[in-house]
Amino acid sequence: MFDCKKIEAVIFDVDGTLYPNYKMYLNSSLFFILHPVLSTAFNRMRRKIRKIDYSENFRELQINILAKEIKKTKEEAALLMEKYIYGQFFSMFKWIKPFKIIKKLVVDLKNQDIKVGIISDFPVGKKFSYLGLDNYWDIVCSADEIGALKPRPESFIFAASKLGIAPEKIIYVGNHYQYDIIGANNAGMMTAHFSLFKKRNSKADFTFYDYKKFLEFVLKLKTTEK
């Protein structure tokens, strides 16, 4: 059992963790219907990038790979990504709302002197404004800033460094087992898997689908003697 008194921060994934997973899939499915070739190429590009350790210019790396996938020039690929991926796709978040408990949860954590943060594989942009979650976080990190995608440990180490807190003093919350839980574990963080079902032989420290129970879990760790 880890040292309960050392918990100083909780970092969250966004998509499928702060709002229902099915809404993310509805958005993605609609976008695929509108732009099947670009969507497929973008997904292939992201799978390739997940295997790369780090890039100082993450946006340029994406453009270079996407250009090859869609057989366009880098200039054309950059325009397509800016207009449709960073533009139209993210504007669709206007219709998504987070779980009602999220705002209260974050406030309750901060009232316990626990810092809260975000790691997102996608640009944050106006997403948090659309979700109504602006100004709730101590840090917000996106892949464009980090230079890597989850489950690369660089994503989690970057966020820990930005908070000024050692990874082992942080609980990471995410819905994707491989990207979130395994990635955060490999970076030395504690993990909470947001899932209806506990994965067999799960490496997560806690599996839940009720944020009230997650808060109880964190507060218990915060107050329990070693």
Side-chain angles (χ1 to χ4, degrees):
M1 184 66 174
F2 40 78
D3 186 340
C4 305
K5 291 190 172 182
K6 289 186 177 179
I7 295 173
E8 296 182 11
V10 176
I11 298 178
F12 296 86
D13 169 51
V14 180
D15 302 303
T17 299
L18 298 184
Y19 65 86
N21 212 26
Y22 76 88
K23 293 186 178 180
M24 177 180 65
Y25 286 121
L26 285 175
N27 259 12
S28 299
S29 298
L30 177 58
F31 188 78
F32 178 81
I33 291 170
L34 294 171
H35 308 286
V37 175
L38 181 60
S39 296
T40 303
F42 183 80
N43 287 334
R44 287 199 303 267
M45 175 265 287
R46 300 282 281 195
R47 285 196 294 271
K48 290 181 179 180
I49 290 179
R50 290 191 194 280
K51 300 176 183 179
I52 297 173
D53 290 351
Y54 170 76
S55 172
E56 288 187 2
N57 193 327
F58 187 79
R59 185 71 69 96
E60 184 177 344
L61 174 65
Q62 289 191 107
I63 290 168
N64 289 339
I65 297 176
L66 184 62
K68 293 178 182 178
E69 291 290 337
I70 59 177
K71 296 179 173 57
K72 299 282 187 181
T73 66
K74 289 192 291 185
E75 290 74 19
E76 289 171 324
L79 287 172
L80 287 170
M81 192 167 74
E82 195 65 36
K83 181 177 180 179
Y84 294 109
I85 303 297
Y86 288 89
Q88 186 183 96
F89 179 70
F90 287 105
S91 70
M92 295 163 73
F93 280 87
K94 292 177 182 177
W95 316 113
I96 291 179
K97 299 299 180 185
F99 293 113
K100 291 182 179 180
I101 196 173
I102 294 298
K103 291 180 181 179
K104 182 179 185 304
L105 172 70
V106 172
V107 170
D108 287 345
L109 289 171
K110 297 187 81 168
N111 285 341
Q112 294 293 322
D113 295 322
I114 296 173
K115 291 186 177 181
V116 291
I118 290 292
I119 299 176
S120 176
D121 273 347
F122 290 99
V124 176
K126 295 182 179 179
K127 184 186 288 187
F128 279 92
S129 178
Y130 294 151
L131 291 172
L133 294 173
D134 276 342
N135 306 316
Y136 279 83
W137 315 96
D138 293 292
I139 61 158
V140 175
C141 306
S142 70
D144 280 18
E145 178 186 13
I146 296 167
L149 292 175
K150 297 177 287 185
R152 300 302 311 177
E154 292 88 348
S155 298
F156 305 95
I157 293 170
F158 181 94
S161 176
K162 196 169 181 180
L163 276 173
I165 297 173
E168 62 268 21
K169 298 179 182 180
I170 297 171
I171 299 177
Y172 186 80
V173 183
N175 70 305
H176 196 292
Y177 185 78
Q178 185 64 38
Y179 297 163
D180 294 317
I181 304 308
I182 298 302
N185 272 346
N186 288 341
M189 292 182 179
M190 294 172 277
T191 52
H193 189 197
F194 182 65
S195 173
L196 274 170
F197 306 102
K198 184 174 182 179
K199 190 175 182 67
R200 186 177 181 182
N201 300 319
S202 176
K203 293 187 177 181
D205 294 290
F206 185 60
T207 299
F208 73 101
Y209 200 73
D210 182 341
Y211 272 107
K212 290 181 181 178
K213 292 183 178 180
F214 172 71
L215 180 60
E216 291 172 2
F217 169 74
V218 174
L219 296 184
K220 183 178 179 181
L221 293 180
K222 188 76 175 173
T223 58
T224 302
E225 293 291 333
K226 290 173 59 177

